[in-house]
Amino acid sequence: MKPIKIIAAVISFAIMHTYQALGQEVVTAGVYDVILSAQAESPDYLLAKTRRENAEWVYTSANSVFRPQLSVDATIPSLDRRISAITLPDGTRAFRNTSFMTNSIGLNLNQVIRGTGGSVFVSTDLERLDQFQTDSQDAASSYLSSPIRVGFNQPILRFNPFKWDKLEADLVYESAKKQFVEDRERVAFSAMNNFFDLYTTKLSLDEAKNNKTYLDSLAINAKGRYDVGRISETDLLQIQLTAKNADANVARLALGVQNKTEVLRDFLGITQGVQFDLQKPEPITIYMIDKDVALDYARQNRSQTELFRLDLLNAERQLEQAQRENGVNMRLTGQFGLTQFADDIPGAYSNLLDQENVALSITVPIADFGRAKAQREIAKSNLELTRLQIRQSEVTFERDILVNVEQFELKRDQLQLAEEALEIALKRLDIAKKRFDIGKVDVTNLNIAIQEERSARQQYFSNLWELWIAHYTIRNLTLYDFENGVPLE
């Protein structure tokens, strides 16, 4: 639908209603009104919207790992009073009563390096030590400062989880965005189905009521004609039986309308009791669909494509992890900083001394009795299996699209034939009624004409419903609106 039509439909659904004598609201709506209302306020849509918002926060959380992390670390205070074994100036050890308190505060900035799997940090901190007076020592206070400390931690030849986490987060988020559009289209599909289910049932009820009125009148006329000997008793009884069956059909359809009204009301999230005055469905604009174009849009827009990529990504991740975690591993760490201690704060920041630390650790597996090789082979097998499964799923997916495009064209032609058949059946019924009234056609032929008209009408709306189903199925499979030539966003 065009934007102006969408706005108009929403407004009309909101304001086009009257009230019956009993005070129950009657909502007048067409199929697009119901669809747009469902895509705005239905419980199914609100659930899809909530899932979409949740995916947004999950993606934000996943990406925050790759941004600088700033934190303050503080210990205020740490009090320690106990009897401990200490080393005396002459080198001997003895138990002494110790009592001291430590307070510290630091500011740390950490950054993950996604490309290498390492990390760097910058920090500054200050620590105060208060030594309380005991039998063996005097009270004293001192400060230890580290105005700046810069360091890094870099794994070498090891598995890099950050690279894979970023790729996975991007695919999951992209899939979630497409999934939301699919969920919204599924809401539209269900709304359309519920509309047609109620509309065709109400149509059948109206037709049954009209048929009942006609048959009641026909039964009265038939009784008069029987009294004067113009029809047989068998024809009279057949007409009366048909009239009674019409009563039962009206009651059955009325119950169906009530049940399906509740289904549509609950689906739209309407809490108060309402009756729907459904308008005749608008015809779908005739448009052509190129199969190759439909396949291209499906591959670009469907969340299933992202899920295929995600499955393949996870299999490739497991293979790389199995290869790198079971081989030679090294880790390079280092830091450089300035530090000093003194009895007061100014002194702790004067005449700073440098401190450095660099370390390279190496782990070389020697014997694991085939565990590493087995894990690598399992990962390779899983990757190949995943590729085969994805390829089979892609073939099934593409075949499903091609079949639905062909069915859309077929159902469009079937609707045109059903419309022509309905016109013929209406003309035949009109002629049969007129000929029966003048005694040129018996009741059997009249009933045949009535049944044919009813069957043709039901077939027409059934085909119209199926064409709408095909229309929204194509939209859902490709996430593209071929009617207006725009992608669904």
Side-chain angles (χ1 to χ4, degrees):
M1 294 181 68
K2 302 298 183 182
I4 295 178
K5 291 181 66 179
I6 294 176
I7 297 173
V10 173
I11 295 175
S12 65
F13 187 83
I15 66 175
M16 288 182 62
H17 61 271
T18 57
Y19 289 87
Q20 294 178 329
L22 295 178
Q24 191 173 45
E25 185 178 0
V26 177
V27 177
T28 302
V31 60
Y32 281 121
D33 299 326
V34 172
I35 290 172
L36 292 173
S37 177
Q39 289 181 325
E41 299 178 353
S42 69
D44 285 2
Y45 172 75
L46 295 178
L47 286 173
K49 183 181 178 182
T50 301
R51 287 193 293 267
R52 172 69 176 82
E53 293 172 350
N54 179 263
E56 184 82 31
W57 286 113
V58 170
Y59 182 68
T60 300
S61 175
N63 271 329
S64 66
V65 175
F66 306 110
R67 295 187 174 93
Q69 308 293 312
L70 183 64
S71 64
V72 174
D73 299 327
T75 301
I76 307 174
S78 173
L79 181 63
D80 191 346
R81 182 177 182 182
R82 57 183 169 174
I83 296 176
S84 304
I86 63 173
T87 301
L88 299 178
D90 59 1
T92 61
R93 290 178 61 82
F95 288 106
R96 292 290 186 270
N97 183 21
T98 61
S99 180
F100 58 88
M101 180 177 66
T102 303
N103 292 273
S104 64
I105 187 169
L107 185 65
N108 299 285
L109 180 64
N110 294 275
Q111 173 65 61
V112 168
I113 304 175
R114 177 164 56 91
T116 65
S119 62
V120 295
F121 73 88
V122 178
S123 67
T124 179
D125 57 73
L126 176 65
E127 181 178 350
R128 170 179 169 139
L129 176 63
D130 291 301
Q131 181 71 51
F132 299 120
Q133 184 175 3
T134 62
D135 295 338
S136 59
Q137 59 188 13
D138 297 330
S141 296
S142 59
Y143 295 86
L144 175 65
S145 73
S146 295
I148 185 170
R149 184 185 297 117
V150 180
F152 64 90
N153 184 339
Q154 180 58 59
I156 302 175
L157 302 178
R158 291 182 63 88
F159 174 70
N160 179 6
F162 300 127
K163 177 185 72 173
W164 296 98
D165 288 345
K166 175 59 176 175
L167 294 174
E168 181 179 352
D170 290 342
L171 283 177
V172 169
Y173 181 58
E174 190 64 26
S175 175
K177 291 193 294 184
K178 295 179 178 180
Q179 183 66 51
F180 173 68
V181 182
E182 293 172 18
D183 289 343
R184 192 177 58 194
E185 285 302 301
R186 273 191 282 270
V187 169
F189 185 88
S190 297
M192 178 272 300
N193 264 333
N194 289 331
F195 174 92
F196 270 95
D197 198 12
L198 177 57
Y199 179 81
T200 54
T201 305
K202 287 172 70 70
L203 204 66
S204 297
L205 176 59
D206 293 339
E207 182 183 351
K209 288 179 178 179
N210 293 334
N211 190 44
K212 175 183 177 302
T213 301
Y214 173 73
L215 290 174
D216 287 343
S217 175
L218 184 62
I220 294 173
N221 292 337
K223 182 62 170 62
R225 296 172 67 183
Y226 170 74
D227 292 338
V228 297
R230 295 184 60 187
I231 63 173
S232 66
E233 184 179 7
T234 301
D235 287 343
L236 173 62
L237 293 175
Q238 185 176 356
I239 292 175
Q240 290 176 338
L241 178 60
T242 302
K244 292 298 182 182
N245 289 337
D247 290 337
N249 191 40
V250 168
R252 178 182 62 81
L253 290 171
L255 180 60
V257 167
Q258 181 180 353
N259 291 336
K260 291 169 184 179
T261 296
E262 292 302 309
V263 171
L264 180 58
R265 182 182 68 83
D266 292 341
F267 178 77
L268 294 177
I270 300 175
T271 56
Q272 69 273 22
V274 297
Q275 292 295 325
F276 291 99
D277 178 20
L278 301 181
Q279 305 301 297
K280 184 177 179 180
E282 301 179 27
I284 295 176
T285 304
I286 301 300
Y287 58 89
M288 304 301 294
I289 302 176
D290 184 276
K291 296 178 182 179
D292 294 332
V293 174
L295 280 174
D296 289 340
Y297 282 127
R299 295 189 188 104
Q300 295 173 19
N301 301 332
R302 288 280 298 183
S303 66
Q304 193 168 356
T305 301
E306 307 303 327
L307 294 179
F308 290 156
R309 295 174 182 170
L310 185 60
D311 290 340
L312 184 60
L313 178 72
N314 287 330
E316 292 173 345
R317 173 178 181 151
Q318 291 172 7
L319 176 58
E320 181 171 317
Q321 186 172 6
Q323 291 173 335
R324 291 187 175 274
E325 291 294 334
N326 294 289
V328 177
N329 290 317
M330 295 186 292
R331 182 180 295 275
L332 179 64
T333 59
Q335 65 176 11
F336 169 82
L338 299 175
T339 186
Q340 186 57 277
F341 72 94
D343 294 337
D344 53 29
I345 293 179
Y349 285 92
S350 302
N351 302 318
L352 297 174
L353 304 176
D354 62 296
Q355 56 179 1
E356 302 87 15
N357 174 265
V358 178
L360 177 65
S361 60
I362 303 176
T363 302
V364 180
I366 298 177
D368 62 1
F369 303 97
R371 181 177 65 88
K373 182 179 179 181
Q375 290 180 346
R376 288 193 297 268
E377 292 303 318
I378 291 173
K380 289 180 181 179
S381 178
N382 288 336
L383 176 57
E384 184 62 25
L385 179 61
T386 300
R387 285 173 176 165
L388 292 174
Q389 291 174 336
I390 289 175
R391 181 55 193 155
Q392 184 60 40
S393 298
E394 287 176 341
V395 170
T396 302
F397 177 63
E398 292 172 0
R399 184 170 58 247
D400 188 28
I401 294 172
L402 295 176
V403 168
N404 278 279
V405 170
E406 293 173 354
Q407 288 182 348
F408 177 79
E409 297 173 354
L410 178 61
K411 290 174 181 178
R412 185 181 57 204
D413 296 337
Q414 288 177 337
L415 177 62
Q416 184 176 357
L417 294 175
E419 187 174 7
E420 295 172 357
L422 178 57
E423 293 177 0
I424 295 173
L426 287 170
K427 292 179 181 179
R428 185 178 185 281
L429 177 59
D430 184 60
I431 293 173
K433 287 180 178 180
K434 291 178 180 178
R435 290 177 62 82
F436 180 80
D437 290 338
I438 61 177
K440 297 293 184 179
V441 173
D442 59 17
V443 68
T444 300
N445 287 323
L446 176 62
N447 282 334
I448 291 174
I450 292 174
Q451 292 299 325
E452 288 177 347
E453 187 275 339
R454 180 183 303 169
S455 176
R457 184 180 296 275
Q458 291 175 349
Q459 187 62 44
Y460 169 77
F461 281 102
S462 176
N463 288 344
L464 179 60
W465 188 354
E466 290 178 358
L467 182 60
W468 274 82
I469 289 175
H471 170 67
Y472 272 97
T473 299
I474 293 295
R475 284 169 59 100
N476 187 271
L477 287 174
T478 62
L479 297 186
Y480 190 84
D481 182 3
F482 287 94
E483 185 177 11
N484 296 308
V486 294
L488 302 176
E489 299 179 351

